[in-house]
Amino acid sequence: MRDLARRRLPKMIFDFIDGGAETEATVRANRAALDRLALRPKVLVDVADRDLTTSVCGLPLSMPLILGPTGLARLAHPDGELAIGRAAQSQHIPFVLSTGSSFSIEDVAAATGDDRQLWFQLYLLKDRKLNENLLERAKKGAYEAVVVTVDVPVVAARERDLRNGMTVPPHIGPRNALDAARRIRWTAGFLRSGRKLSMGNLIEALGPEAKNVKTAAQWFHDLTTPKFDWSELQWVRSVWDGPLMVKGILRPDDARRAVDSGADAIVVSNHGGRQLDFAPPTIDVLPGVVDAVGSSVDVLMDGGIRRGSDIVKAVALGAKACLMGRPYLYGLGAGGQAGVESVITMLRSELSRCLALLGCSAARDLSRDFVQLDGIPAPANRARVT
Amino acid sequence: MRDLARRRLPKMIFDFIDGGAETEATVRANRAALDRLALRPKVLVDVADRDLTTSVCGLPLSMPLILGPTGLARLAHPDGELAIGRAAQSQHIPFVLSTGSSFSIEDVAAATGDDRQLWFQLYLLKDRKLNENLLERAKKGAYEAVVVTVDVPVVAARERDLRNGMTVPPHIGPRNALDAARRIRWTAGFLRSGRKLSMGNLIEALGPEAKNVKTAAQWFHDLTTPKFDWSELQWVRSVWDGPLMVKGILRPDDARRAVDSGADAIVVSNHGGRQLDFAPPTIDVLPGVVDAVGSSVDVLMDGGIRRGSDIVKAVALGAKACLMGRPYLYGLGAGGQAGVESVITMLRSELSRCLALLGCSAARDLSRDFVQLDGIPAPANRARVT
Amino acid sequence: MRDLARRRLPKMIFDFIDGGAETEATVRANRAALDRLALRPKVLVDVADRDLTTSVCGLPLSMPLILGPTGLARLAHPDGELAIGRAAQSQHIPFVLSTGSSFSIEDVAAATGDDRQLWFQLYLLKDRKLNENLLERAKKGAYEAVVVTVDVPVVAARERDLRNGMTVPPHIGPRNALDAARRIRWTAGFLRSGRKLSMGNLIEALGPEAKNVKTAAQWFHDLTTPKFDWSELQWVRSVWDGPLMVKGILRPDDARRAVDSGADAIVVSNHGGRQLDFAPPTIDVLPGVVDAVGSSVDVLMDGGIRRGSDIVKAVALGAKACLMGRPYLYGLGAGGQAGVESVITMLRSELSRCLALLGCSAARDLSRDFVQLDGIPAPANRARVT
Amino acid sequence: MRDLARRRLPKMIFDFIDGGAETEATVRANRAALDRLALRPKVLVDVADRDLTTSVCGLPLSMPLILGPTGLARLAHPDGELAIGRAAQSQHIPFVLSTGSSFSIEDVAAATGDDRQLWFQLYLLKDRKLNENLLERAKKGAYEAVVVTVDVPVVAARERDLRNGMTVPPHIGPRNALDAARRIRWTAGFLRSGRKLSMGNLIEALGPEAKNVKTAAQWFHDLTTPKFDWSELQWVRSVWDGPLMVKGILRPDDARRAVDSGADAIVVSNHGGRQLDFAPPTIDVLPGVVDAVGSSVDVLMDGGIRRGSDIVKAVALGAKACLMGRPYLYGLGAGGQAGVESVITMLRSELSRCLALLGCSAARDLSRDFVQLDGIPAPANRARVT
């Protein structure tokens, strides 16, 4: 699916999705850390009926997978978050709409049916009125939970974007015209959509002022601040009475602090390696966070989830569910809503098969006993065939 | 031999043999784990006469090597299991005929002489009558032992097969016609054999119903079930009074349970990396299983055995013998019975030479003292020559 | 910037800057050791105002970065150390002028304004009068500190230089004429500068004898000695009353000895992998040195600093600041003073961003708690895509 | 030098020298194990006069390096062992003449002057009279010491030789005629030397029977035996009263046994990875052997010595000196006696420089304190530049 997306999307869009901060050490480390965990299967267990369901903060999930917040999905496909929301709905898993989404809270709510599970991701904005506006609209739109992202005090340097001259909205000039011309479908969609800024939530929240904000970089710079501390989270807690999750925690002490500040769930995340380069891989820090707060709140995880076996590993090490970002965007770029559904379906069947082969008939029953740390050895000192 | 097979077999057949589940992490890990073990030789030991013999469940072997069950050997060569059985016989080692073999229990028994050592591998089928049919025929055919495979509650995704459009029986269409045309010998044999389903044991067991089963995938789906637990093994124990081995164990607790259920031997196996991707390498879990049950039953191992030194390592860490799969299929594909014999002969002479160089005059005398865990260092931080 | 320098400089000049001793194991190890350290970010910390300043021996720095001594900068650009000194001044960080600089102590002092922070690096010369001459001139030129380099009892074999036929001054002959012709800017600058020996400090110190010294190799051979022991450092201490730093320490016991001999700061350094090949990476030995002497003197570090995150790691593990060499020479080769400034500016903004993302509002507040040893896993056993 | 040899020698000759047993895992491991050791330099030590000398069994060496026994040196150059012996003499280091040398004990003794240091390597032959013949001739020829090789009970499979069709003497046929034609100098020398068997020592020892032995493989097969145990070494001890060294020990218990059997020195060796594949790297087992017997006898080491820093590492970990094989054969192939001398000279100057940079003024003073196990980190998880 990633290869398909790479073929269908202009390089600068693909790299915007695929890339990470600076050297991308953390992007690679997320995968390497998952890849060295082995799974210890039990045999002769009745696994005829595998139960993939789980719950997060009491909300039911058809499987331990959540479409994480990613922002600006129209870059990948004209239907953007509408397609993602519908795909999530059809698969009975939550979709976390980003503050920086192309379509607004209301658009996405309207495009999906009654049984959809929408959560809302909040970037803490400087102006509390904007935060209130967003939270009220989320409540009105029946968004079930709020996920506050706390790992973007400033935006990291995504060097692929710098090299590609990527801006939001993207600019098609001499440098990338040929590339765009070869991705006709994407380019046609992009032109049809009027090359709009497309930040639905913020346009709505800002009202008439929105016209002053031209680029995503500018809105981030103008509207956010690196000033916030835990009191700001406590303020959110005081105005949002639904489930409140905090995303971007990588330390047990911060997890405890988040719980003390009123969080109902912790998302162990390094922003997919897109923020602090050299942040540790999430799967490595997950057990420590679970040990610290897992008995009182749910712990989720994202970062490098590409296979059903990755979900199994995370859940076995204590996560209630995983958030996923890039893979569904690859699916979106490759085939719109159907592409997203296809990604979820693949993961579901991989997860189901993995549980069967592991001798575990319910995702909820996964435990550390199924995982062998450092069980997959590093490459051996073999001759390179020449 | 692998290279020769790669040249002689169509890509989809070669990949069917050579490939593994999903990312093939376990296929690689099996090798990497063996490759990091060092051997600690003793000098000035009289090794003029090396005794390679051993026994498994009281059955004598000319060397600690068994041709493991692989199924559908006619895909590699028209003589299929007949050639393998004859090669094993000529080398005085056992051949484990698969439930899913191309030739039937009776065919293989008939094709080999009195002194052949045939064992029978059983997939637990939903319908106990079919299991009884197979076990009775095995008994009648003087198969010495039964090996129950327990790591296939469902079939894993072998992604090379998916990509190649590999089915059983294989289909030659526009996509692979060129490839087939370039492997004239294989294609001629394949066409001559009438492209039959060739699942001898099952055709015999199913009787007239066999004509409804068109593909290997279908028979597996129709005839097996992920429902079984340890009681099914106990049932096999109650109807088979010869040596009973359980193949596909990767945990000490499961090994103990298998022994409690009546197993006479344990085969530590991850199905050559073809079932649960990210299952641990067998050589790494072997010592724990030996510690758990090695004093009461024999422990065997498969997974990545390619050299005499690999057999030495496994036996030194407590295995009575190793099963091997892919290498003899490469031999079969490359040269029929003679190819299989040549693979066994190579391994025998490597094993003999390795024992001599190790200062150990009998395979049975190998012990952990001869192995250094992590003795072969990982590649160093060297400049890549460019 | 390195790539730009590679394009602008003749290969033999680029390799002279970029290369290291013998197999360059230590050059690579410096980077590999930094790359396996993870950073453990704290969230919801007010990082609106990041304070990058620090001090070394009481001297204030605008950030924990020092332009280390490198010698013969005119090889990279006609303006050589004048450009570097001006760039350092404009960025309010110290520049350590080398004994082997192209421009003299006086030239560099004259080329920079009142607020510049110049330090002087001293190679201990056989003839104490020369040392006195250099130290007196440094004092007169208001150089704030003296850095005594102690890891060059003899010069290592830089094999790239041997292979390139690199000499100082460089010789343009048939072998590299084409290469030089393609780097027109550099060659023009080199020819304009009269291909002079350009060792300003030594020409000044030697007086009329200077004309006997033709090459850098010769001056090193003629003027230095592998004889010196700690008493020579004590002698420097007796004649220099400003801050005295000792550069090239890799062992806690040597660090203690340096402090006992009067050093005010220790520079943990393996000369960027240009002296003892297989010397350990500096970041690995830093904590031990800090534990040994960090409470009494300042500890600095160089070796492989390429990113803001590298500075963060070194400071978190106890360094007061980092010295950097190659990167600013790449900048110098690529764009003279502006190139050097641009390198410093990049590092400053990376450092600032890294602190923000780490949840640390002052470089001085970095501590070991922010670092995870072995936090970034080695590459996994993945299939090589072919 | 290796590259030069590769260009000058036919592929099958180069591979015969360069290759190892089976997968060559031990060949690579010898290097990888050395490459991960770091050296911990001391500074401000007077290293003006470096003393490289040492002694082995009371015999003085100009540096801790010995030209190890390699056999059949005429394959690399017509002057074979005569050239090596002269080179060793000129450099005041011992040369260990192999039982399987091209020139005889007497030839080499006659070709070198009074001050040469020749040692004799003995393969234990089935027929004690042959052993006596060799030992008596060694004594008569004033060979100072005897090195008994104990790691060749049988000859390993050197797969490059098998693939190249390499025999001794080599056969030039259609398969390698082109290769030979392109290495005119080697081929001319080879033809001039009459393509003789050239196993001087054995021809002499066997007398008229020598004409029955056509190939090196045959002599090894006919004359040696895997039967020997420690009593055979005791017999050698009883007939040779000079220094007696045992080469091919990789275990502390075997080292103790060798000392108990009368050995005066132990050579820790895996035969350069040419015998038991997956034998551990020698530098890793050296400290254990030194701990076991180092207080009573001298311990030597070979395996992967390519640089002065490798000698430093081995000596620091307890070896009195290192034997070297392949590098001097590369030198011999590249330039005869001068090539061998040049290899020794390079190593001497590297060793001297390494000691200077390490702050150690005598090779004899090296100790474990100078070595950091695992001090050079493995490659980091870096992006592969594409």
Side-chain angles (χ1 to χ4, degrees), chain C residues 59-188:
Chain C
L59 304 168
L61 278 67
S62 74
M63 65 185 290
L65 181 69
I66 295 156
L67 301 190
T70 51
L72 287 168
R74 284 182 79 168
L75 289 173
H77 191 277
D79 295 345
E81 290 86 1
L82 306 185
I84 303 169
R86 286 181 193 128
Q89 179 184 14
S90 80
Q91 293 289 324
H92 306 291
I93 62 173
F95 166 45
V96 189
L97 186 74
S98 169
T99 293
S101 61
S102 335
F103 288 95
S104 71
I105 291 174
E106 292 76 11
D107 290 340
V108 178
T112 50
D114 282 349
D115 59 341
R116 81 285 189 291
Q117 296 175 275
L118 292 172
W119 299 358
F120 180 67
Q121 178 270 342
L122 180 71
Y123 278 120
L124 296 169
L125 305 178
K126 257 194 298 216
D127 181 350
R128 280 198 176 167
K129 279 187 201 140
L130 292 179
N131 293 331
E132 278 170 359
N133 171 297
L134 290 163
L135 291 173
E136 274 165 29
R137 288 162 54 206
K139 184 152 215 172
K140 209 170 298 174
Y143 284 67
E144 298 173 328
V146 160
V147 179
V148 179
T149 298
V150 293
D151 58 2
V152 194
V154 299
V155 178
R158 318 246 166 99
E159 302 193 356
R160 293 202 217 180
D161 295 351
L162 297 172
R163 264 181 247 120
N164 292 332
M166 172 71 185
T167 52
V168 174
H171 174 74
I172 298 185
R175 203 166 140 187
N176 55 7
L178 182 66
D179 192 27
R182 291 170 56 195
R183 269 79 176 183
I184 288 217
R185 261 168 61 162
W186 181 87
T187 307

Side-chain angles (χ1 to χ4, degrees), chain A residues 39-41 43 47 307 369 382, chain B residues 35 159 226 251 254 278 280:
Chain A
L39 294 171
R40 304 177 63 231
V43 295
V47 288
R307 293 261 177 189
D369 179 45
R382 295 192 69 99
Chain B
D35 282 344
E159 302 192 355
R251 301 169 58 112
D254 273 359
F278 290 102

Side-chain angles (χ1 to χ4, degrees), chain D residues 48 212 299 335 344 379:
Chain D
N212 298 325
V299 178
I344 302 168

Side-chain angles (χ1 to χ4, degrees), chain A residues 22-23 29 31-33 35-36 124 150-151 153-157 159 226-230 233 248-252 254 275-281 284 377-379 384, chain C residues 31 34-50 307 309-310 313 350 353-354 356-358 369-370 372 374-382 384:
Chain A
E22 303 201 351
T23 69
R31 288 293 327 146
D35 282 343
R36 65 182 175 177
L124 296 169
V150 294
D151 58 2
V154 299
V155 179
E159 301 193 356
K227 263 199 135 40
F228 288 134
D229 59 22
W230 293 97
L233 182 65
I249 300 281
L250 289 169
R251 301 169 59 114
D254 273 358
Q275 283 295 106
L276 178 65
D277 196 27
F278 290 100
D284 284 358
R384 207 163 297 176
Chain C
R31 288 294 328 147
L34 282 162
D35 282 344
R36 65 182 175 178
L37 299 177
L39 295 172
R40 305 177 61 230
K42 292 183 181 169
V43 294
L44 291 175
V45 173
D46 176 353
V47 288
D49 302 305
R50 270 96 67 195
R307 292 259 178 191
S309 55
D310 298 324
K313 290 170 181 179
E350 283 179 0
R353 208 185 299 116
C354 187
L357 295 173
L358 201 52
D369 179 45
F370 285 100
Q372 177 84 40
D374 277 315
I376 301 293
N381 200 342
R382 296 192 69 101
R384 207 164 296 176

Side-chain angles (χ1 to χ4, degrees), chain C residues 1-2 5 326-340 343:
Chain C
M1 197 58 88
R2 180 168 177 258
R326 290 178 184 90
Y328 79 73
L329 288 177
Y330 301 145
L332 182 67
Q337 178 183 342
V340 178
V343 167

Side-chain angles (χ1 to χ4, degrees), chain C residues 319-350:
Chain C
K320 288 290 294 246
C322 297
L323 284 74
M324 169 179 75
R326 290 178 184 90
Y328 79 73
L329 288 177
Y330 301 145
L332 182 67
Q337 178 183 342
V340 178
E341 285 180 26
S342 153
V343 167
I344 302 169
T345 304
M346 276 197 279
L347 280 162
R348 185 189 303 276
S349 77
E350 283 179 0

Side-chain angles (χ1 to χ4, degrees), chain A residues 89-107:
Chain A
Q89 179 183 13
S90 80
Q91 293 288 324
H92 305 291
I93 62 173
F95 166 45
V96 189
L97 186 74
S98 170
T99 293
S101 61
S102 337
F103 289 95
S104 71
I105 292 174
E106 293 77 10
D107 291 340

